[in-house]
């Protein structure tokens, strides 16, 4: 695709013309119309084989068609720095449904998946999930910063420069999610805690600024997605120290949220107050609609509707999860926030703890938060899918409740 304006196919009945940019609290397309990023995470490429899960069970192009058919408009696509450097082919057995990719390196498989997704008009958002390979995330995996004892910051930067150059001509690779879930890490025998705006060696705001500007030297059109501290749960530092790139209108902030981030039985009012203080304030009048906010991960066990507050008598589900779901659904809906479900996957890739090598998941293990059946072909829980699809259309923003601005 030629760089410049790229028009996605009619996803959620709206043509999305890239490049994307920001207008106050909204992401907008090349014509100034609001784009609500509403998508799914497809993971695995950041794990042991550097390979997205499911390619042994479904053709990547069929999977892309199914994602678009369900009206999602974006896919967050994690990778590891390790993956970008691998030159050996991945085992063919994990590509059984994609035989044309036999003999491919992890990066070549990633390329093919990106192409399949964007061919269906889906926006792809690469995310550096880990430095090394494995399952993310924990306080003990040594991958909470953008560097560690095995992977210097220069490798992290080089990986992003390579990813950016690789997809520069594909306008639907329209945003990049720089670093997954900032958290503590032990480096050089010292436990380091991420900071924001401090100017020291753990300052994520400074890192996002440096890396974002370097990315824009290669492709000035990309949105730069900046996750908050404490496993992407804390954006309080943005108020005093916003990320300010040389190219304006390109910063999006991201939070993650799961039931275990909150006390059990939390009231909806308390939940919304907590989330607003942690990062939702970025959208509001107090800071003039500083920037868009994207919930880059949130998810729940789709195996029982009790987890969604719809079947409290179930012996399988967890009613506390239902409380959390009703809270986050109300917040996302009322604040009209962008989001991305974790995960599309019904099955795992193989993943170890990157620091200890402890096996956490084997290839093919069930992913309880997945949206699809175990063969990767159909919807696992139609009620859950229906709820998510109801949250896709934007309610406010340029071109939604007012005429789009002339870019």
């Amino acid at each position: 695709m030629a760089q410049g304006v790229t028009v996605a196919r009619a996803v959620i009945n709206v043509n999305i013309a890239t490049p994307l940019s920001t207008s106050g609290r909204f992401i907008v397309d090349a014509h100034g119309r609001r784009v609500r990023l509403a998508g799914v995470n497809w993971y695995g490429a950041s794990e042991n084989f550097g390979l997205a899960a499911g390619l042994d069970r479904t053709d990547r192009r069929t999977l892309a068609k199914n994602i678009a058919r369900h009206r999602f408009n974006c896919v967050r696509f994690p990778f590891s720095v390790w993956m970008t450097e691998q030159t050996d082919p991945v085992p063919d057995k994990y590509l059984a449904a994609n035989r044309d990719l036999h003999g491919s390196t992890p990066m070549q498989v990633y390329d093919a998946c990106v192409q399949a997704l964007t061919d269906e008009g889906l926006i792809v958002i690469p995310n550096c999930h880990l430095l090394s390979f494995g399952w993310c995330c924990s306080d003990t995996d040594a991958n909470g910063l953008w560097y560690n004892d095995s992977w210097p910051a220069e490798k992290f930067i080089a990986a992003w420069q390579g990813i950016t150059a690789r997809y520069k001509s594909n306008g639907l690779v329209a945003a990049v999610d720089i670093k997954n879930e900032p958290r503590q890490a032990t480096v050089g025998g010292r436990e380091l805690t991420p900071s924001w705006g401090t100017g020291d060696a753990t300052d994520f705001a400074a890192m996002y600024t440096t890396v974002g500007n370097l990315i824009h030297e290669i492709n000035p059109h990309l949105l730069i997605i900046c996750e908050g501290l404490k496993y992407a749960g804390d954006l309080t530092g943005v108020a005093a120290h916003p990320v300010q790139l040389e190219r304006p209108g390109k910063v999006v902030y991201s939070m993650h949220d799961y039931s275990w981030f909150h006390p059990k039985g939390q009231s909806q009012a308390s939940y919304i107050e907590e989330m607003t203080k942690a990062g939702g304030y970025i959208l509001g009048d107090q800071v003039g609609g500083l920037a868009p906010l994207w919930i880059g991960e949130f998810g729940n066990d789709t195996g029982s509707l009790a987890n969604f507050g719809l079947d409290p008598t179930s012996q399988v589900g967890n009613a506390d999860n239902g409380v959390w779901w009703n809270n986050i659904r109300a917040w996302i809906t009322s604040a009209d926030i962008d989001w991305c479900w974790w995960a599309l996957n019904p099955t795992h890739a193989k993943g170890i703890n990157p620091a200890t090598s402890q096996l956490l998941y084997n290839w093919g293990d069930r992913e309880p938060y997945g949206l699809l059946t175990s063969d990767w072909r159909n919807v696992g829980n139609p009620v859950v899918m229906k709820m998510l699809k109801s949250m896709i259309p934007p309610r406010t923003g340029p071109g939604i409740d007012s005429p789009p601005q002339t870019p």
Side-chain angles (χ1 to χ4, degrees):
M1 301 177 189
Q3 189 63 25
V5 176
T6 300
V7 180
R9 297 182 187 180
V11 182
I12 65 168
N13 300 318
V14 176
N15 287 327
I16 300 174
T18 61
L20 304 180
S21 58
T22 67
S23 177
R25 59 145 293 176
F26 299 110
I27 297 170
V28 296
D29 70 7
H31 302 307
R33 182 184 177 92
R34 196 264 171 102
V35 175
R36 185 187 202 178
L37 293 180
V40 291
N41 284 268
W42 179 18
Y43 71 80
S46 60
E47 297 185 65
N48 287 40
F49 302 122
L51 185 65
L55 295 173
D56 56 334
R57 306 192 184 197
T58 186
D59 183 273
R60 64 193 181 279
R61 291 154 295 206
T62 301
L63 183 64
K65 289 181 187 295
N66 284 337
I67 296 170
R69 177 172 60 86
H70 290 298
R71 303 175 69 196
F72 299 111
N73 63 10
C74 66
V75 175
R76 183 173 180 258
F77 203 27
F79 68 91
S80 71
V81 175
W82 173 88
M83 183 208 80
T84 67
E85 296 189 349
Q86 301 313 296
T87 57
D88 291 335
V90 299
D92 286 346
K93 67 179 180 178
Y94 300 119
L95 298 168
N98 292 265
R99 294 184 181 275
D100 61 315
L101 298 182
H102 282 187
S104 298
T105 66
M107 200 70 242
Q108 289 169 336
V109 175
Y110 193 89
D111 287 343
C113 292
V114 168
Q115 191 63 55
L117 295 167
T118 58
D119 281 349
E120 293 303 319
L122 293 160
I123 293 167
V124 172
I125 304 172
N127 160 246
C128 187
H129 220 61
L130 288 167
L131 306 174
S132 185
F133 60 84
W135 176 257
C136 187
C137 300
S138 76
D139 287 347
T140 63
D141 65 16
N143 274 247
L145 302 173
W146 62 97
Y147 58 89
N148 61 21
D149 292 335
S150 300
W151 297 90
E154 291 77 11
K155 290 272 191 179
F156 176 81
I157 293 170
W160 268 122
Q161 290 172 317
I163 288 284
T164 304
R166 200 172 191 98
Y167 304 120
K168 180 180 179 180
S169 64
N170 189 335
L172 290 176
V173 181
V176 288
D177 185 351
I178 301 298
K179 176 64 180 75
N180 188 62
E181 297 195 350
R183 59 199 180 278
Q184 70 184 49
T186 300
V187 183
R190 296 174 56 218
E191 185 176 288
L192 302 180
T193 300
S195 60
W196 193 284
T198 57
D200 61 18
T202 63
D203 184 349
F204 268 80
M207 183 275 285
Y208 290 141
T209 302
T210 298
V211 175
N213 284 331
L214 289 171
I215 285 171
H216 279 163
E217 288 181 4
I218 300 169
N219 183 353
H221 298 294
L222 291 171
L223 293 179
I224 305 299
I225 298 176
C226 307
E227 297 190 22
L229 307 182
K230 299 179 181 177
Y231 290 82
D234 179 8
L235 285 166
T236 54
V238 173
H241 299 283
V243 175
Q244 295 180 311
L245 302 176
E246 293 176 10
R247 186 173 180 85
K250 293 296 182 180
V251 174
V252 174
Y253 295 100
S254 178
M255 298 178 72
H256 294 179
D257 197 56
Y258 292 98
S259 62
W260 59 87
F261 284 23
H262 305 277
K264 293 182 178 181
Q266 186 176 27
S267 71
Q268 195 167 109
S270 174
Y271 174 88
I272 292 176
E273 180 182 10
E274 178 186 352
M275 296 302 286
T276 300
K277 288 180 178 179
Y281 73 90
I282 290 169
L283 302 172
D285 294 335
Q286 291 182 352
V287 289
L290 178 66
L293 177 65
W294 185 51
I295 309 303
E297 286 186 26
F298 73 116
N300 210 344
D301 188 334
T302 60
S304 168
L305 291 178
N307 294 313
F308 296 86
L310 297 176
D311 185 11
T313 62
S314 170
Q315 299 302 304
V316 178
N318 184 336
D320 290 320
N321 286 353
V323 172
W324 168 82
W325 166 254
N326 285 325
N327 287 343
I328 191 170
R329 185 186 185 191
W331 181 54
I332 286 175
T333 300
S334 63
D336 202 15
I337 300 172
D338 298 37
W339 53 267
C340 196
W341 178 263
W342 185 279
L344 176 71
N345 299 43
T347 60
H348 276 276
K350 182 179 180 180
I352 62 169
N353 180 308
T356 67
S357 297
Q358 176 190 1
L359 179 64
L360 301 175
Y361 295 101
N362 247 321
W363 188 277
D365 284 354
R366 176 180 174 264
E367 167 53 81
Y369 286 23
L371 293 179
L372 302 178
T373 52
S374 60
D375 60 5
W376 286 73
R377 297 178 183 176
N378 299 297
V379 174
N381 192 324
V383 175
V384 174
M385 182 66 81
K386 184 177 180 180
M387 285 191 289
L388 289 177
K389 289 167 75 170
S390 73
M391 296 164 59
I392 293 175
R395 297 188 300 106
T396 57
I400 306 301
D401 58 1
S402 60
Q405 299 175 356
T406 301

PDB file of all heavy atoms in Angstrom, residues 146-163:
ATOM      1  N   TRP A 146      12.304  -1.653  29.821  1.00  0.00           N
ATOM      2  CA  TRP A 146      12.630  -1.822  28.408  1.00  0.00           C
ATOM      3  C   TRP A 146      14.072  -2.298  28.223  1.00  0.00           C
ATOM      4  O   TRP A 146      14.594  -2.315  27.108  1.00  0.00           O
ATOM      5  CB  TRP A 146      12.385  -0.527  27.645  1.00  0.00           C
ATOM      6  CG  TRP A 146      13.223   0.643  28.072  1.00  0.00           C
ATOM      7  CD1 TRP A 146      14.390   1.074  27.492  1.00  0.00           C
ATOM      8  CD2 TRP A 146      12.986   1.547  29.156  1.00  0.00           C
ATOM      9  NE1 TRP A 146      14.881   2.179  28.151  1.00  0.00           N
ATOM     10  CE2 TRP A 146      14.033   2.499  29.185  1.00  0.00           C
ATOM     11  CE3 TRP A 146      11.961   1.660  30.119  1.00  0.00           C
ATOM     12  CZ2 TRP A 146      14.100   3.527  30.121  1.00  0.00           C
ATOM     13  CZ3 TRP A 146      12.042   2.679  31.060  1.00  0.00           C
ATOM     14  CH2 TRP A 146      13.089   3.591  31.052  1.00  0.00           C
ATOM     15  N   TYR A 147      14.686  -2.739  29.301  1.00  0.00           N
ATOM     16  CA  TYR A 147      16.039  -3.292  29.271  1.00  0.00           C
ATOM     17  C   TYR A 147      16.191  -4.203  30.479  1.00  0.00           C
ATOM     18  O   TYR A 147      15.467  -4.087  31.479  1.00  0.00           O
ATOM     19  CB  TYR A 147      17.096  -2.177  29.313  1.00  0.00           C
ATOM     20  CG  TYR A 147      16.973  -1.283  30.534  1.00  0.00           C
ATOM     21  CD1 TYR A 147      17.638  -1.583  31.721  1.00  0.00           C
ATOM     22  CD2 TYR A 147      16.148  -0.157  30.518  1.00  0.00           C
ATOM     23  CE1 TYR A 147      17.516  -0.781  32.846  1.00  0.00           C
ATOM     24  CE2 TYR A 147      16.020   0.648  31.632  1.00  0.00           C
ATOM     25  CZ  TYR A 147      16.697   0.339  32.787  1.00  0.00           C
ATOM     26  OH  TYR A 147      16.559   1.128  33.905  1.00  0.00           O
ATOM     27  N   ASN A 148      17.142  -5.136  30.386  1.00  0.00           N
ATOM     28  CA  ASN A 148      17.517  -5.950  31.543  1.00  0.00           C
ATOM     29  C   ASN A 148      18.955  -6.426  31.336  1.00  0.00           C
ATOM     30  O   ASN A 148      19.665  -5.911  30.462  1.00  0.00           O
ATOM     31  CB  ASN A 148      16.532  -7.109  31.778  1.00  0.00           C
ATOM     32  CG  ASN A 148      16.454  -8.085  30.622  1.00  0.00           C
ATOM     33  OD1 ASN A 148      17.363  -8.182  29.784  1.00  0.00           O
ATOM     34  ND2 ASN A 148      15.353  -8.830  30.559  1.00  0.00           N
ATOM     35  N   ASP A 149      19.387  -7.393  32.119  1.00  0.00           N
ATOM     36  CA  ASP A 149      20.783  -7.825  32.043  1.00  0.00           C
ATOM     37  C   ASP A 149      21.123  -8.500  30.716  1.00  0.00           C
ATOM     38  O   ASP A 149      22.292  -8.521  30.312  1.00  0.00           O
ATOM     39  CB  ASP A 149      21.105  -8.779  33.196  1.00  0.00           C
ATOM     40  CG  ASP A 149      21.096  -8.083  34.547  1.00  0.00           C
ATOM     41  OD1 ASP A 149      21.322  -6.854  34.575  1.00  0.00           O
ATOM     42  OD2 ASP A 149      20.848  -8.757  35.564  1.00  0.00           O
ATOM     43  N   SER A 150      20.130  -9.067  30.062  1.00  0.00           N
ATOM     44  CA  SER A 150      20.370  -9.774  28.798  1.00  0.00           C
ATOM     45  C   SER A 150      20.053  -8.939  27.567  1.00  0.00           C
ATOM     46  O   SER A 150      20.572  -9.208  26.480  1.00  0.00           O
ATOM     47  CB  SER A 150      19.533 -11.061  28.761  1.00  0.00           C
ATOM     48  OG  SER A 150      19.868 -11.923  29.819  1.00  0.00           O
ATOM     49  N   TRP A 151      19.200  -7.936  27.753  1.00  0.00           N
ATOM     50  CA  TRP A 151      18.724  -7.151  26.622  1.00  0.00           C
ATOM     51  C   TRP A 151      18.896  -5.666  26.919  1.00  0.00           C
ATOM     52  O   TRP A 151      18.108  -5.073  27.638  1.00  0.00           O
ATOM     53  CB  TRP A 151      17.251  -7.471  26.342  1.00  0.00           C
ATOM     54  CG  TRP A 151      17.028  -8.903  25.952  1.00  0.00           C
ATOM     55  CD1 TRP A 151      16.763  -9.943  26.784  1.00  0.00           C
ATOM     56  CD2 TRP A 151      17.096  -9.439  24.636  1.00  0.00           C
ATOM     57  NE1 TRP A 151      16.651 -11.111  26.078  1.00  0.00           N
ATOM     58  CE2 TRP A 151      16.837 -10.834  24.737  1.00  0.00           C
ATOM     59  CE3 TRP A 151      17.341  -8.876  23.372  1.00  0.00           C
ATOM     60  CZ2 TRP A 151      16.837 -11.665  23.623  1.00  0.00           C
ATOM     61  CZ3 TRP A 151      17.317  -9.717  22.267  1.00  0.00           C
ATOM     62  CH2 TRP A 151      17.077 -11.088  22.394  1.00  0.00           C
ATOM     63  N   PRO A 152      19.927  -5.048  26.375  1.00  0.00           N
ATOM     64  CA  PRO A 152      20.137  -3.618  26.613  1.00  0.00           C
ATOM     65  C   PRO A 152      19.082  -2.780  25.897  1.00  0.00           C
ATOM     66  O   PRO A 152      18.415  -3.243  24.958  1.00  0.00           O
ATOM     67  CB  PRO A 152      21.524  -3.361  26.025  1.00  0.00           C
ATOM     68  CG  PRO A 152      21.706  -4.425  24.996  1.00  0.00           C
ATOM     69  CD  PRO A 152      20.985  -5.639  25.538  1.00  0.00           C
ATOM     70  N   ALA A 153      18.936  -1.549  26.317  1.00  0.00           N
ATOM     71  CA  ALA A 153      17.944  -0.653  25.723  1.00  0.00           C
ATOM     72  C   ALA A 153      18.159  -0.491  24.225  1.00  0.00           C
ATOM     73  O   ALA A 153      17.189  -0.315  23.467  1.00  0.00           O
ATOM     74  CB  ALA A 153      18.003   0.705  26.411  1.00  0.00           C
ATOM     75  N   GLU A 154      19.407  -0.573  23.778  1.00  0.00           N
ATOM     76  CA  GLU A 154      19.690  -0.430  22.348  1.00  0.00           C
ATOM     77  C   GLU A 154      19.001  -1.509  21.520  1.00  0.00           C
ATOM     78  O   GLU A 154      18.568  -1.257  20.387  1.00  0.00           O
ATOM     79  CB  GLU A 154      21.201  -0.474  22.102  1.00  0.00           C
ATOM     80  CG  GLU A 154      21.961   0.738  22.623  1.00  0.00           C
ATOM     81  CD  GLU A 154      22.176   0.711  24.132  1.00  0.00           C
ATOM     82  OE1 GLU A 154      21.914  -0.341  24.758  1.00  0.00           O
ATOM     83  OE2 GLU A 154      22.600   1.750  24.688  1.00  0.00           O
ATOM     84  N   LYS A 155      18.892  -2.724  22.072  1.00  0.00           N
ATOM     85  CA  LYS A 155      18.201  -3.807  21.362  1.00  0.00           C
ATOM     86  C   LYS A 155      16.709  -3.516  21.250  1.00  0.00           C
ATOM     87  O   LYS A 155      16.081  -3.765  20.224  1.00  0.00           O
ATOM     88  CB  LYS A 155      18.426  -5.126  22.101  1.00  0.00           C
ATOM     89  CG  LYS A 155      19.836  -5.665  22.019  1.00  0.00           C
ATOM     90  CD  LYS A 155      20.014  -6.529  20.790  1.00  0.00           C
ATOM     91  CE  LYS A 155      21.319  -7.291  20.823  1.00  0.00           C
ATOM     92  NZ  LYS A 155      21.494  -8.164  19.648  1.00  0.00           N
ATOM     93  N   PHE A 156      16.139  -3.001  22.327  1.00  0.00           N
ATOM     94  CA  PHE A 156      14.720  -2.633  22.331  1.00  0.00           C
ATOM     95  C   PHE A 156      14.449  -1.566  21.276  1.00  0.00           C
ATOM     96  O   PHE A 156      13.503  -1.676  20.484  1.00  0.00           O
ATOM     97  CB  PHE A 156      14.350  -2.138  23.730  1.00  0.00           C
ATOM     98  CG  PHE A 156      12.951  -1.624  23.890  1.00  0.00           C
ATOM     99  CD1 PHE A 156      11.891  -2.491  24.076  1.00  0.00           C
ATOM    100  CD2 PHE A 156      12.691  -0.254  23.871  1.00  0.00           C
ATOM    101  CE1 PHE A 156      10.600  -2.016  24.248  1.00  0.00           C
ATOM    102  CE2 PHE A 156      11.406   0.235  24.027  1.00  0.00           C
ATOM    103  CZ  PHE A 156      10.352  -0.657  24.212  1.00  0.00           C
ATOM    104  N   ILE A 157      15.278  -0.539  21.244  1.00  0.00           N
ATOM    105  CA  ILE A 157      15.106   0.545  20.275  1.00  0.00           C
ATOM    106  C   ILE A 157      15.278   0.021  18.849  1.00  0.00           C
ATOM    107  O   ILE A 157      14.490   0.346  17.941  1.00  0.00           O
ATOM    108  CB  ILE A 157      16.088   1.685  20.568  1.00  0.00           C
ATOM    109  CG1 ILE A 157      15.721   2.358  21.897  1.00  0.00           C
ATOM    110  CG2 ILE A 157      16.095   2.707  19.433  1.00  0.00           C
ATOM    111  CD1 ILE A 157      16.762   3.344  22.396  1.00  0.00           C
ATOM    112  N   ALA A 158      16.301  -0.814  18.641  1.00  0.00           N
ATOM    113  CA  ALA A 158      16.536  -1.352  17.306  1.00  0.00           C
ATOM    114  C   ALA A 158      15.367  -2.214  16.835  1.00  0.00           C
ATOM    115  O   ALA A 158      15.011  -2.196  15.644  1.00  0.00           O
ATOM    116  CB  ALA A 158      17.825  -2.167  17.294  1.00  0.00           C
ATOM    117  N   ALA A 159      14.770  -2.977  17.761  1.00  0.00           N
ATOM    118  CA  ALA A 159      13.614  -3.796  17.384  1.00  0.00           C
ATOM    119  C   ALA A 159      12.470  -2.920  16.902  1.00  0.00           C
ATOM    120  O   ALA A 159      11.816  -3.225  15.893  1.00  0.00           O
ATOM    121  CB  ALA A 159      13.178  -4.657  18.571  1.00  0.00           C
ATOM    122  N   TRP A 160      12.222  -1.812  17.602  1.00  0.00           N
ATOM    123  CA  TRP A 160      11.140  -0.921  17.184  1.00  0.00           C
ATOM    124  C   TRP A 160      11.460  -0.220  15.866  1.00  0.00           C
ATOM    125  O   TRP A 160      10.576  -0.015  15.028  1.00  0.00           O
ATOM    126  CB  TRP A 160      10.836   0.100  18.285  1.00  0.00           C
ATOM    127  CG  TRP A 160       9.768  -0.380  19.211  1.00  0.00           C
ATOM    128  CD1 TRP A 160       9.847  -0.546  20.563  1.00  0.00           C
ATOM    129  CD2 TRP A 160       8.442  -0.777  18.846  1.00  0.00           C
ATOM    130  NE1 TRP A 160       8.665  -1.029  21.060  1.00  0.00           N
ATOM    131  CE2 TRP A 160       7.779  -1.171  20.032  1.00  0.00           C
ATOM    132  CE3 TRP A 160       7.758  -0.855  17.643  1.00  0.00           C
ATOM    133  CZ2 TRP A 160       6.459  -1.629  20.036  1.00  0.00           C
ATOM    134  CZ3 TRP A 160       6.437  -1.310  17.642  1.00  0.00           C
ATOM    135  CH2 TRP A 160       5.809  -1.694  18.832  1.00  0.00           C
ATOM    136  N   GLN A 161      12.694   0.128  15.675  1.00  0.00           N
ATOM    137  CA  GLN A 161      13.050   0.735  14.394  1.00  0.00           C
ATOM    138  C   GLN A 161      12.860  -0.257  13.259  1.00  0.00           C
ATOM    139  O   GLN A 161      12.383   0.107  12.172  1.00  0.00           O
ATOM    140  CB  GLN A 161      14.501   1.237  14.449  1.00  0.00           C
ATOM    141  CG  GLN A 161      14.679   2.448  15.358  1.00  0.00           C
ATOM    142  CD  GLN A 161      16.135   2.811  15.569  1.00  0.00           C
ATOM    143  OE1 GLN A 161      16.982   1.941  15.769  1.00  0.00           O
ATOM    144  NE2 GLN A 161      16.445   4.106  15.532  1.00  0.00           N
ATOM    145  N   GLY A 162      13.199  -1.523  13.502  1.00  0.00           N
ATOM    146  CA  GLY A 162      13.007  -2.551  12.486  1.00  0.00           C
ATOM    147  C   GLY A 162      11.541  -2.812  12.177  1.00  0.00           C
ATOM    148  O   GLY A 162      11.146  -2.918  11.008  1.00  0.00           O
ATOM    149  N   ILE A 163      10.724  -2.918  13.223  1.00  0.00           N
ATOM    150  CA  ILE A 163       9.281  -3.121  13.032  1.00  0.00           C
ATOM    151  C   ILE A 163       8.687  -1.949  12.261  1.00  0.00           C
ATOM    152  O   ILE A 163       7.878  -2.117  11.328  1.00  0.00           O
ATOM    153  CB  ILE A 163       8.577  -3.286  14.394  1.00  0.00           C
ATOM    154  CG1 ILE A 163       8.925  -4.642  15.022  1.00  0.00           C
ATOM    155  CG2 ILE A 163       7.073  -3.112  14.266  1.00  0.00           C
ATOM    156  CD1 ILE A 163       8.219  -5.831  14.421  1.00  0.00           C
TER     157      ILE A 163
END
